[in-house]
Amino acid sequence: MREKIVIVDDDTETRKLLIQSLLECGYDAIGYAQCGQALVSFIHSQDPDLIILDLSMPGADGLNLCAELRNFCDKPVLCTSQHTEDDLRIEALNRGADEFIAKPSSFEVWLARIRAHLRRYKRAFPVNQRHLIVYPGLQIDPTTHSVIAYGKEVSLSSKEFQLLIVLAKNPNRVFHIETLYDLIWKDIKHGDVRTVMVHIYNLRQKIEKIPSEPLYILTVRGAGYKFNGSVSLLIESMDA
C-alpha cells in the first residue's frame, strides 16, 4: 500500500508541484488548503502517514493547529514557512512538529526529509505494534476501538473511548474540562461541559481497579484532568 502524505498549504502552485512530484515518487499525495476544525476533521478522515503543514496560512494559527494535530495524531508532522526566525522554528518543535523546513526548499530536500521521517516512524512503530497504547494493566487499540483493563475487555461508548485516547496519548498533560469538551464534543456548540465529568466518572468505573482511587485518570484540582504519566508507557507487540 502506498504511503499517504497530506500537504496543507494555501499556495496553489507550491501545493500542486509538491503533490505531483510525490505522486511520481510513488506516494499517495493529497493537498488541502483549509485550516481550523475543517483541517482536523480532514486529517481524522484521511489518517495519513505524514503531514506537511504550512504555518503561515492566512487566518490560521499554524502553531496551534500543529499542537491540535498532536492531540490525536502520532504520525510525522513537518512544518514549513517562509518565515525562518529561530523563535518560530523552536516554537514549532515545542508544539509537536517533528521538523521545520524553510521555504523555499528544493524537492530533493523535501524528499530526503520525508523518507527519513517515514523510516524513523516505521522503526519506532512496526506494523504489528503501530497505534497500540499499552500501560501496565491497560491496553488500548485505536484501530479496533478495543480496551483491555486488568486482563478483561471493557465496553466503552464512543465519547468515552475518544476521551481515553486523548488523555492516554498525552500523559501528564493537564486538560481543562472546557478543552476536553471542545475536542470531543466539537459538533455540539452549546452543550453542558459537565458531561465531561460524567464521562470521566463512567470511564473510571470501567478501567480503574478502584474507581474511587484512580490510577490512570487523575483529577487536578482547579484545573481539570490528566493521565498518570508515572505509569510507564510500554509499546508491545500485538502478539505479546
Side-chain angles (χ1 to χ4, degrees):
M1 183 179 295
R2 303 205 308 177
E3 290 162 310
K4 184 186 295 185
I5 299 172
V6 169
I7 300 100
V8 183
D9 196 321
D10 67 304
D11 187 316
T12 304
E13 291 304 315
T14 299
R15 192 174 66 249
K16 286 184 176 180
L17 181 60
L18 192 52
I19 289 172
Q20 184 59 40
S21 299
L22 287 170
L23 288 173
E24 292 173 358
C25 290
Y27 295 101
D28 183 7
I30 303 171
Y32 200 74
Q34 297 185 54
C35 54
Q37 194 56 53
L39 169 61
V40 174
S41 299
F42 181 77
I43 297 297
H44 263 298
S45 67
Q46 293 296 320
D47 190 23
D49 296 288
L50 183 143
I51 302 163
I52 296 171
L53 174 64
D54 181 7
L55 295 177
S56 305
M57 293 174 65
D61 187 331
L63 293 172
N64 281 341
L65 281 175
C66 180
E68 187 165 2
L69 290 177
R70 270 291 168 253
N71 284 333
F72 66 88
C73 179
D74 62 356
K75 305 298 179 57
V77 177
L78 311 187
C79 287
T80 184
S81 177
Q82 292 179 336
H83 304 288
T84 58
E85 299 86 353
D86 284 347
D87 287 349
L88 180 61
R89 292 172 178 265
I90 293 168
E91 189 60 22
L93 295 172
N94 286 339
R95 296 291 188 98
D98 293 281
E99 187 165 348
F100 182 98
I101 301 175
K103 279 186 175 182
S105 291
S106 69
F107 177 69
E108 288 73 18
V109 169
W110 274 109
L111 185 59
R113 302 315 302 153
I114 287 169
R115 285 174 171 168
H117 282 283
L118 288 174
R119 284 196 305 269
R120 188 173 299 131
Y121 184 84
K122 288 177 183 178
R123 286 197 302 268
F125 301 101
V127 172
N128 66 337
Q129 299 176 14
R130 209 166 295 168
H131 306 302
L132 191 65
I133 305 170
V134 180
Y135 288 87
L138 182 67
Q139 178 176 293
I140 309 164
D141 187 351
T143 61
T144 61
H145 282 222
S146 63
V147 177
I148 297 175
Y150 297 103
K152 294 183 179 180
E153 187 165 1
V154 297
S155 177
L156 301 183
S157 70
S158 174
K159 297 302 184 187
E160 290 168 354
F161 188 81
Q162 290 176 54
L163 267 176
L164 180 59
I165 288 292
V166 167
L167 293 168
K169 280 192 171 184
N170 297 275
N172 285 334
R173 175 179 170 181
V174 178
F175 285 89
H176 292 277
I177 293 177
E178 292 81 4
T179 301
L180 289 171
Y181 185 84
D182 290 341
L183 285 170
I184 308 301
W185 286 267
K186 51 184 173 290
D187 296 328
I188 305 174
K189 302 301 182 184
H190 303 292
D192 190 340
V193 297
R194 287 177 296 181
T195 192
V196 175
M197 301 168 65
V198 173
H199 280 72
I200 292 291
Y201 174 85
N202 291 337
L203 256 180
R204 284 172 171 163
Q205 297 299 311
K206 294 178 179 181
I207 69 170
E208 300 282 1
K209 184 171 287 188
I210 306 176
S212 61
E213 300 176 13
L215 171 66
Y216 303 115
I217 301 176
L218 307 182
T219 300
V220 181
R221 294 192 180 279
Y225 300 99
K226 71 174 183 179
F227 199 92
N228 185 5
S230 66
V231 182
S232 302
L233 178 62
L234 306 172
I235 302 298
E236 298 182 348
S237 167
M238 289 290 290
D239 301 324

